[in-house]
Amino acid sequence: MMVPVRCFTCGTVVGEHWEEFDERANEGDEDPQEVLDELGVDRYCCRRMLVSHTDLVDVVSPYQ
Amino acid sequence: MSAEYDVEFVEREDRDARFLVQGITPAFANGIRRAMLADVPTMAIDTVRFVENSSVMFDEQLALRLGLVPLTTPPVGEFVEDDTVTLSIDVEGPATAYSGDLVSSDDLVQPADENVPIIDLKDGQRLEAEADAVLDRGKDHAKHQGGVAVGYRHLQRVAAVEDLPEFEEPDRRIVRGVIEEDGELVPTSEFDHDLSNRYPGQEVTLEDVPNSFVFHVETDGSFSVEELVTRAADTIESRATELENAVQL
């Protein structure tokens, strides 16, 4: 649904980087690795939170 | 413990630091690490009263998300456990509710990050809620954990012993953390964590420096690294005093 606020494993706040990551790496055509490095998301536990996330709010919103 | 010990910063930023502590036992180093994770009280939202929630997420899900938002923690003594600070949020769609939309009743307790999306609201949806933040410890709930990814490694001493034979293919020597080189501290990220980059063509030895620990501490924004470490040390002291009083005749 919405991006998790924190990394499941280490507890770093990752939610704040989602919108920029989505815009640059998913919508845009930048390399996800470089975007994550620039955002300062270093550990692989935090990186997978953003890389593997799919926003589903738009999918479920018609079924209120 | 009255022995002398030294602290030296290797990298220092507000929320992220690496520092060397020399002259402490492994047990004490681990005690500090654990205190930073579990025993330093931080503010986090604990109870949420929903006035209106017509978003696509359930009240409970939103309450969890609000709880995980880091809040700045006031100086020691301003609050005691059980004191509450009320934060309110009122966002009407179409818009996204962010952690920055939380309005606090106390200037000392504010969302540490303003850009955490709470919920995406569509046309006609609305989120209005009141939340109570309390002071608690990481051992009760991970949302109260002020330090994230706190750890330490031994300081490693590197010495070049001899040249490698001329035609031998050099092996990679991966090492992570901080190395000591003739008394200088060098983070391994400077040479891509590979000793064969720094000492090309040389055979090197690597040994742990006894009782020297390089801590790597990050905080979630509740307070600075210095604050976290000193508060962790204070909790150890207060528990030690408590134990001392408890066992006295």
Side-chain angles (χ1 to χ4, degrees), chain A residues 27-50:
Chain A
E27 311 291 326
D29 49 7
E30 284 185 68
D31 182 8
Q33 181 181 356
E34 282 163 23
V35 178
L36 287 169
D37 285 342
E38 275 171 43
L39 290 173
V41 183
D42 306 320
R43 283 181 291 278
Y44 54 69
C45 60
C46 310
R47 291 165 87 96
R48 60 99 203 256
M49 300 301 297
L50 296 177

PDB file of all heavy atoms in Angstrom, chain A residues 27-50:
ATOM      1  N   GLU A  27       9.847   6.285 -12.306  1.00  0.00           N
ATOM      2  CA  GLU A  27       9.230   7.077 -13.383  1.00  0.00           C
ATOM      3  C   GLU A  27      10.300   7.550 -14.362  1.00  0.00           C
ATOM      4  O   GLU A  27      10.130   7.473 -15.563  1.00  0.00           O
ATOM      5  CB  GLU A  27       8.502   8.299 -12.811  1.00  0.00           C
ATOM      6  CG  GLU A  27       7.560   8.020 -11.650  1.00  0.00           C
ATOM      7  CD  GLU A  27       6.332   7.235 -12.068  1.00  0.00           C
ATOM      8  OE1 GLU A  27       5.867   7.431 -13.194  1.00  0.00           O
ATOM      9  OE2 GLU A  27       5.871   6.410 -11.255  1.00  0.00           O
ATOM     10  N   GLY A  28      11.383   8.051 -13.809  1.00  0.00           N
ATOM     11  CA  GLY A  28      12.476   8.508 -14.664  1.00  0.00           C
ATOM     12  C   GLY A  28      13.327   7.331 -15.103  1.00  0.00           C
ATOM     13  O   GLY A  28      12.973   6.187 -14.887  1.00  0.00           O
ATOM     14  N   ASP A  29      14.476   7.628 -15.722  1.00  0.00           N
ATOM     15  CA  ASP A  29      15.278   6.510 -16.199  1.00  0.00           C
ATOM     16  C   ASP A  29      16.675   6.511 -15.578  1.00  0.00           C
ATOM     17  O   ASP A  29      17.635   6.076 -16.186  1.00  0.00           O
ATOM     18  CB  ASP A  29      15.353   6.529 -17.736  1.00  0.00           C
ATOM     19  CG  ASP A  29      15.717   7.897 -18.274  1.00  0.00           C
ATOM     20  OD1 ASP A  29      16.036   8.774 -17.440  1.00  0.00           O
ATOM     21  OD2 ASP A  29      15.694   8.087 -19.498  1.00  0.00           O
ATOM     22  N   GLU A  30      16.775   7.018 -14.341  1.00  0.00           N
ATOM     23  CA  GLU A  30      18.079   6.983 -13.683  1.00  0.00           C
ATOM     24  C   GLU A  30      18.327   5.600 -13.109  1.00  0.00           C
ATOM     25  O   GLU A  30      17.392   4.830 -12.856  1.00  0.00           O
ATOM     26  CB  GLU A  30      18.122   8.029 -12.564  1.00  0.00           C
ATOM     27  CG  GLU A  30      18.301   9.434 -13.093  1.00  0.00           C
ATOM     28  CD  GLU A  30      18.473  10.427 -11.955  1.00  0.00           C
ATOM     29  OE1 GLU A  30      19.512  10.367 -11.284  1.00  0.00           O
ATOM     30  OE2 GLU A  30      17.565  11.238 -11.762  1.00  0.00           O
ATOM     31  N   ASP A  31      19.593   5.292 -12.879  1.00  0.00           N
ATOM     32  CA  ASP A  31      19.972   4.003 -12.319  1.00  0.00           C
ATOM     33  C   ASP A  31      19.593   3.966 -10.836  1.00  0.00           C
ATOM     34  O   ASP A  31      20.046   4.817 -10.073  1.00  0.00           O
ATOM     35  CB  ASP A  31      21.492   3.835 -12.489  1.00  0.00           C
ATOM     36  CG  ASP A  31      21.983   2.507 -11.982  1.00  0.00           C
ATOM     37  OD1 ASP A  31      21.129   1.663 -11.636  1.00  0.00           O
ATOM     38  OD2 ASP A  31      23.213   2.307 -11.925  1.00  0.00           O
ATOM     39  N   PRO A  32      18.758   2.985 -10.408  1.00  0.00           N
ATOM     40  CA  PRO A  32      18.337   2.940  -9.002  1.00  0.00           C
ATOM     41  C   PRO A  32      19.526   2.929  -8.037  1.00  0.00           C
ATOM     42  O   PRO A  32      19.469   3.535  -6.967  1.00  0.00           O
ATOM     43  CB  PRO A  32      17.557   1.628  -8.906  1.00  0.00           C
ATOM     44  CG  PRO A  32      17.140   1.315 -10.282  1.00  0.00           C
ATOM     45  CD  PRO A  32      18.140   1.920 -11.198  1.00  0.00           C
ATOM     46  N   GLN A  33      20.608   2.254  -8.420  1.00  0.00           N
ATOM     47  CA  GLN A  33      21.782   2.181  -7.548  1.00  0.00           C
ATOM     48  C   GLN A  33      22.345   3.572  -7.265  1.00  0.00           C
ATOM     49  O   GLN A  33      22.624   3.917  -6.116  1.00  0.00           O
ATOM     50  CB  GLN A  33      22.853   1.315  -8.200  1.00  0.00           C
ATOM     51  CG  GLN A  33      24.097   1.167  -7.350  1.00  0.00           C
ATOM     52  CD  GLN A  33      25.167   0.333  -8.025  1.00  0.00           C
ATOM     53  OE1 GLN A  33      24.967  -0.214  -9.103  1.00  0.00           O
ATOM     54  NE2 GLN A  33      26.305   0.231  -7.381  1.00  0.00           N
ATOM     55  N   GLU A  34      22.468   4.378  -8.324  1.00  0.00           N
ATOM     56  CA  GLU A  34      23.018   5.722  -8.131  1.00  0.00           C
ATOM     57  C   GLU A  34      22.076   6.606  -7.333  1.00  0.00           C
ATOM     58  O   GLU A  34      22.509   7.393  -6.491  1.00  0.00           O
ATOM     59  CB  GLU A  34      23.305   6.374  -9.488  1.00  0.00           C
ATOM     60  CG  GLU A  34      24.590   5.859 -10.101  1.00  0.00           C
ATOM     61  CD  GLU A  34      24.695   6.154 -11.584  1.00  0.00           C
ATOM     62  OE1 GLU A  34      24.021   7.100 -12.047  1.00  0.00           O
ATOM     63  OE2 GLU A  34      25.435   5.421 -12.268  1.00  0.00           O
ATOM     64  N   VAL A  35      20.764   6.454  -7.587  1.00  0.00           N
ATOM     65  CA  VAL A  35      19.794   7.279  -6.851  1.00  0.00           C
ATOM     66  C   VAL A  35      19.876   6.962  -5.363  1.00  0.00           C
ATOM     67  O   VAL A  35      19.932   7.855  -4.519  1.00  0.00           O
ATOM     68  CB  VAL A  35      18.371   7.046  -7.389  1.00  0.00           C
ATOM     69  CG1 VAL A  35      17.372   7.869  -6.593  1.00  0.00           C
ATOM     70  CG2 VAL A  35      18.292   7.421  -8.856  1.00  0.00           C
ATOM     71  N   LEU A  36      19.923   5.668  -5.032  1.00  0.00           N
ATOM     72  CA  LEU A  36      19.987   5.284  -3.619  1.00  0.00           C
ATOM     73  C   LEU A  36      21.265   5.787  -2.971  1.00  0.00           C
ATOM     74  O   LEU A  36      21.255   6.232  -1.825  1.00  0.00           O
ATOM     75  CB  LEU A  36      19.900   3.757  -3.480  1.00  0.00           C
ATOM     76  CG  LEU A  36      18.522   3.156  -3.745  1.00  0.00           C
ATOM     77  CD1 LEU A  36      18.615   1.645  -3.855  1.00  0.00           C
ATOM     78  CD2 LEU A  36      17.538   3.533  -2.662  1.00  0.00           C
ATOM     79  N   ASP A  37      22.382   5.713  -3.698  1.00  0.00           N
ATOM     80  CA  ASP A  37      23.644   6.226  -3.154  1.00  0.00           C
ATOM     81  C   ASP A  37      23.535   7.718  -2.858  1.00  0.00           C
ATOM     82  O   ASP A  37      23.978   8.193  -1.818  1.00  0.00           O
ATOM     83  CB  ASP A  37      24.795   5.979  -4.140  1.00  0.00           C
ATOM     84  CG  ASP A  37      25.228   4.517  -4.147  1.00  0.00           C
ATOM     85  OD1 ASP A  37      24.892   3.803  -3.176  1.00  0.00           O
ATOM     86  OD2 ASP A  37      25.877   4.090  -5.119  1.00  0.00           O
ATOM     87  N   GLU A  38      22.912   8.455  -3.801  1.00  0.00           N
ATOM     88  CA  GLU A  38      22.788   9.900  -3.601  1.00  0.00           C
ATOM     89  C   GLU A  38      21.853  10.227  -2.450  1.00  0.00           C
ATOM     90  O   GLU A  38      22.049  11.218  -1.748  1.00  0.00           O
ATOM     91  CB  GLU A  38      22.269  10.565  -4.874  1.00  0.00           C
ATOM     92  CG  GLU A  38      23.381  10.885  -5.852  1.00  0.00           C
ATOM     93  CD  GLU A  38      22.834  11.345  -7.182  1.00  0.00           C
ATOM     94  OE1 GLU A  38      21.887  12.143  -7.183  1.00  0.00           O
ATOM     95  OE2 GLU A  38      23.349  10.873  -8.217  1.00  0.00           O
ATOM     96  N   LEU A  39      20.824   9.401  -2.263  1.00  0.00           N
ATOM     97  CA  LEU A  39      19.884   9.658  -1.173  1.00  0.00           C
ATOM     98  C   LEU A  39      20.488   9.299   0.187  1.00  0.00           C
ATOM     99  O   LEU A  39      19.921   9.611   1.222  1.00  0.00           O
ATOM    100  CB  LEU A  39      18.602   8.844  -1.380  1.00  0.00           C
ATOM    101  CG  LEU A  39      17.699   9.280  -2.529  1.00  0.00           C
ATOM    102  CD1 LEU A  39      16.576   8.278  -2.713  1.00  0.00           C
ATOM    103  CD2 LEU A  39      17.129  10.642  -2.265  1.00  0.00           C
ATOM    104  N   GLY A  40      21.622   8.598   0.190  1.00  0.00           N
ATOM    105  CA  GLY A  40      22.239   8.215   1.451  1.00  0.00           C
ATOM    106  C   GLY A  40      21.633   6.970   2.058  1.00  0.00           C
ATOM    107  O   GLY A  40      21.749   6.745   3.259  1.00  0.00           O
ATOM    108  N   VAL A  41      20.982   6.150   1.236  1.00  0.00           N
ATOM    109  CA  VAL A  41      20.460   4.867   1.724  1.00  0.00           C
ATOM    110  C   VAL A  41      21.549   3.837   1.433  1.00  0.00           C
ATOM    111  O   VAL A  41      21.661   3.338   0.317  1.00  0.00           O
ATOM    112  CB  VAL A  41      19.132   4.515   1.019  1.00  0.00           C
ATOM    113  CG1 VAL A  41      18.549   3.241   1.558  1.00  0.00           C
ATOM    114  CG2 VAL A  41      18.141   5.643   1.183  1.00  0.00           C
ATOM    115  N   ASP A  42      22.382   3.525   2.429  1.00  0.00           N
ATOM    116  CA  ASP A  42      23.594   2.738   2.177  1.00  0.00           C
ATOM    117  C   ASP A  42      23.409   1.244   2.353  1.00  0.00           C
ATOM    118  O   ASP A  42      23.935   0.453   1.588  1.00  0.00           O
ATOM    119  CB  ASP A  42      24.716   3.161   3.139  1.00  0.00           C
ATOM    120  CG  ASP A  42      24.974   4.638   3.090  1.00  0.00           C
ATOM    121  OD1 ASP A  42      24.948   5.180   1.984  1.00  0.00           O
ATOM    122  OD2 ASP A  42      25.202   5.229   4.155  1.00  0.00           O
ATOM    123  N   ARG A  43      22.709   0.870   3.411  1.00  0.00           N
ATOM    124  CA  ARG A  43      22.650  -0.561   3.741  1.00  0.00           C
ATOM    125  C   ARG A  43      21.664  -1.299   2.845  1.00  0.00           C
ATOM    126  O   ARG A  43      20.652  -0.750   2.451  1.00  0.00           O
ATOM    127  CB  ARG A  43      22.225  -0.732   5.199  1.00  0.00           C
ATOM    128  CG  ARG A  43      23.321  -0.467   6.174  1.00  0.00           C
ATOM    129  CD  ARG A  43      22.827  -0.683   7.582  1.00  0.00           C
ATOM    130  NE  ARG A  43      21.876   0.329   7.957  1.00  0.00           N
ATOM    131  CZ  ARG A  43      22.191   1.523   8.394  1.00  0.00           C
ATOM    132  NH1 ARG A  43      23.452   1.856   8.526  1.00  0.00           N
ATOM    133  NH2 ARG A  43      21.267   2.399   8.714  1.00  0.00           N
ATOM    134  N   TYR A  44      21.963  -2.570   2.575  1.00  0.00           N
ATOM    135  CA  TYR A  44      21.080  -3.284   1.653  1.00  0.00           C
ATOM    136  C   TYR A  44      19.724  -3.575   2.256  1.00  0.00           C
ATOM    137  O   TYR A  44      18.761  -3.767   1.543  1.00  0.00           O
ATOM    138  CB  TYR A  44      21.738  -4.523   1.050  1.00  0.00           C
ATOM    139  CG  TYR A  44      22.330  -5.558   1.974  1.00  0.00           C
ATOM    140  CD1 TYR A  44      21.538  -6.343   2.784  1.00  0.00           C
ATOM    141  CD2 TYR A  44      23.699  -5.785   1.991  1.00  0.00           C
ATOM    142  CE1 TYR A  44      22.087  -7.315   3.597  1.00  0.00           C
ATOM    143  CE2 TYR A  44      24.265  -6.744   2.797  1.00  0.00           C
ATOM    144  CZ  TYR A  44      23.447  -7.509   3.606  1.00  0.00           C
ATOM    145  OH  TYR A  44      23.997  -8.462   4.400  1.00  0.00           O
ATOM    146  N   CYS A  45      19.631  -3.575   3.599  1.00  0.00           N
ATOM    147  CA  CYS A  45      18.306  -3.785   4.191  1.00  0.00           C
ATOM    148  C   CYS A  45      17.379  -2.616   3.867  1.00  0.00           C
ATOM    149  O   CYS A  45      16.193  -2.796   3.588  1.00  0.00           O
ATOM    150  CB  CYS A  45      18.417  -4.002   5.697  1.00  0.00           C
ATOM    151  SG  CYS A  45      19.151  -2.658   6.614  1.00  0.00           S
ATOM    152  N   CYS A  46      17.942  -1.390   3.912  1.00  0.00           N
ATOM    153  CA  CYS A  46      17.131  -0.198   3.624  1.00  0.00           C
ATOM    154  C   CYS A  46      16.876  -0.060   2.131  1.00  0.00           C
ATOM    155  O   CYS A  46      15.823   0.398   1.704  1.00  0.00           O
ATOM    156  CB  CYS A  46      17.836   1.058   4.118  1.00  0.00           C
ATOM    157  SG  CYS A  46      18.408   0.966   5.803  1.00  0.00           S
ATOM    158  N   ARG A  47      17.873  -0.474   1.317  1.00  0.00           N
ATOM    159  CA  ARG A  47      17.736  -0.320  -0.132  1.00  0.00           C
ATOM    160  C   ARG A  47      16.625  -1.199  -0.675  1.00  0.00           C
ATOM    161  O   ARG A  47      15.854  -0.782  -1.541  1.00  0.00           O
ATOM    162  CB  ARG A  47      19.064  -0.659  -0.813  1.00  0.00           C
ATOM    163  CG  ARG A  47      20.137   0.371  -0.527  1.00  0.00           C
ATOM    164  CD  ARG A  47      21.495  -0.143  -0.876  1.00  0.00           C
ATOM    165  NE  ARG A  47      21.869   0.081  -2.254  1.00  0.00           N
ATOM    166  CZ  ARG A  47      22.602   1.096  -2.689  1.00  0.00           C
ATOM    167  NH1 ARG A  47      23.021   1.984  -1.841  1.00  0.00           N
ATOM    168  NH2 ARG A  47      22.924   1.210  -3.955  1.00  0.00           N
ATOM    169  N   ARG A  48      16.520  -2.420  -0.129  1.00  0.00           N
ATOM    170  CA  ARG A  48      15.461  -3.302  -0.641  1.00  0.00           C
ATOM    171  C   ARG A  48      14.078  -2.763  -0.294  1.00  0.00           C
ATOM    172  O   ARG A  48      13.104  -3.077  -0.966  1.00  0.00           O
ATOM    173  CB  ARG A  48      15.614  -4.733  -0.098  1.00  0.00           C
ATOM    174  CG  ARG A  48      15.560  -4.878   1.418  1.00  0.00           C
ATOM    175  CD  ARG A  48      14.232  -5.304   1.948  1.00  0.00           C
ATOM    176  NE  ARG A  48      14.109  -4.893   3.346  1.00  0.00           N
ATOM    177  CZ  ARG A  48      14.220  -5.694   4.379  1.00  0.00           C
ATOM    178  NH1 ARG A  48      14.441  -6.963   4.225  1.00  0.00           N
ATOM    179  NH2 ARG A  48      14.080  -5.240   5.608  1.00  0.00           N
ATOM    180  N   MET A  49      13.961  -1.961   0.797  1.00  0.00           N
ATOM    181  CA  MET A  49      12.663  -1.400   1.157  1.00  0.00           C
ATOM    182  C   MET A  49      12.130  -0.532   0.014  1.00  0.00           C
ATOM    183  O   MET A  49      10.947  -0.559  -0.296  1.00  0.00           O
ATOM    184  CB  MET A  49      12.766  -0.528   2.410  1.00  0.00           C
ATOM    185  CG  MET A  49      13.249  -1.206   3.660  1.00  0.00           C
ATOM    186  SD  MET A  49      12.256  -2.572   4.209  1.00  0.00           S
ATOM    187  CE  MET A  49      10.725  -1.804   4.553  1.00  0.00           C
ATOM    188  N   LEU A  50      13.020   0.262  -0.587  1.00  0.00           N
ATOM    189  CA  LEU A  50      12.592   1.164  -1.651  1.00  0.00           C
ATOM    190  C   LEU A  50      12.526   0.450  -2.995  1.00  0.00           C
ATOM    191  O   LEU A  50      11.581   0.642  -3.763  1.00  0.00           O
ATOM    192  CB  LEU A  50      13.548   2.362  -1.735  1.00  0.00           C
ATOM    193  CG  LEU A  50      13.555   3.259  -0.503  1.00  0.00           C
ATOM    194  CD1 LEU A  50      14.589   4.352  -0.664  1.00  0.00           C
ATOM    195  CD2 LEU A  50      12.202   3.873  -0.269  1.00  0.00           C
TER     196      LEU A  50
END
